[in-house]
Amino acid sequence: MSEAASRALRSSDELAMSEAVSLKVVLLGEVGVGKTSIFVRLRDNRFVDTKSSSTMSVDTEDFQFELVDGTTVKMDLWDTSGTERYRTLTANYYHGAKACVYIYDTADSSTLYSLAAWLADARKYAEGHLCFLVGNKIDLEEDEIEIHQQTVEFIQKEKGFVQQFEMSAKIGNSVREAFQVIAEHLAMKCPQKPHGAVQPLFDAMPSNHGCCE
């Protein structure tokens, strides 16, 4: 291939990526489960302890994930950054979300069962979204873990989560890998057309792969 042809190919790829539509994904869960820590670990590959943070805002960031078939998925990830403390999330936070990541603290069983309320809110404002279940803080000692895997598997099946993951934002275990898998599911649900156009939301998958029930 000539140098001119190579430059043209690179320019075409860069144009397609610049025009690609970011697929919105939102993080949900109670205060203290580690949503912002996961967000920062994914963005900066570092750990921040947000227990004492008083920041009340919504943070967003675009991430790119390369799939094995050469497809690039652009994920627009949204973090509540403490606003959930007063249940101030509005329809705008959920609007347009293609997936919701429901996060619980493996050392606090109440954070797993409280996800039912988040599911109810998301069903109202993000119809048809993919649901993923994440247990954070697996770096804790075994005797600190309150939630058994059988319980998680039961809830995953009962509520219709596409997949469940365990990770540690503190040590970085499985964070990037989990969102890579989420990107793969998004690619199937919202396949990219040439130049980044996205097909209609429900074209790629049967309706039973949408919102959790």
Side-chain angles (χ1 to χ4, degrees), residues 1-195:
M1 182 183 295
S2 69
E3 184 178 349
S6 297
R7 285 199 303 269
L9 182 59
R10 287 196 300 270
S11 297
S12 177
D13 290 342
E14 290 168 0
L15 176 62
M17 277 309 305
S18 66
E19 295 180 352
V21 175
S22 292
L23 303 176
K24 183 176 178 180
V25 177
V26 300
L27 304 179
L28 298 171
E30 296 299 309
V31 173
V33 297
K35 297 183 298 300
T36 297
S37 295
I38 290 171
F39 183 90
V40 173
R41 172 63 70 179
L42 192 61
R43 185 186 64 193
D44 303 329
N45 194 27
R46 64 184 178 91
F47 175 67
V48 293
D49 189 344
T50 59
K51 289 180 181 178
S52 60
S53 174
S54 59
T55 302
M56 297 294 167
S57 63
V58 171
D59 202 0
T60 68
E61 185 78 19
D62 277 341
F63 297 91
Q64 294 185 9
F65 296 88
E66 303 292 334
L67 307 188
V68 293
D69 65 356
T71 303
T72 299
V73 174
K74 292 183 71 175
M75 182 186 298
D76 181 20
L77 191 63
W78 287 49
D79 172 41
T80 59
S81 297
T83 55
E84 79 283 11
R85 191 184 309 271
Y86 301 110
R87 290 287 183 176
T88 58
L89 297 185
T90 66
N92 289 334
Y93 183 79
Y94 298 96
H95 180 71
K98 301 299 185 288
C100 295
V101 181
Y102 298 84
I103 302 168
Y104 66 93
D105 180 347
T106 58
D108 184 352
S109 58
S110 69
T111 64
L112 176 62
Y113 297 117
S114 67
L115 290 177
W118 296 104
L119 282 164
D121 286 346
R123 279 199 295 266
K124 289 189 294 185
Y125 302 121
E127 183 178 356
H129 70 276
L130 295 176
C131 303
F132 297 93
L133 184 61
V134 167
N136 187 34
K137 306 184 184 180
I138 60 170
D139 55 278
L140 297 174
E141 297 295 330
E142 186 175 350
D143 61 359
E144 296 180 272
I145 304 297
E146 287 189 2
I147 303 170
H148 297 292
Q149 184 61 25
Q150 297 93 324
T151 302
V152 177
E153 291 174 355
F154 174 79
I155 290 178
Q156 177 190 356
K157 183 177 180 180
E158 181 185 50
K159 298 299 183 182
F161 288 101
V162 174
Q163 196 162 338
Q164 59 102 355
F165 308 94
E166 290 186 333
M167 63 179 61
S168 169
K170 185 173 184 177
I171 63 176
N173 190 346
S174 300
V175 176
R176 181 81 188 185
E177 293 81 355
F179 282 89
Q180 178 74 31
V181 173
I182 292 172
E184 292 169 359
H185 282 285
L186 285 170
M188 290 188 290
K189 187 178 180 68
C190 307
Q192 300 278 326
K193 291 181 178 180
H195 300 296

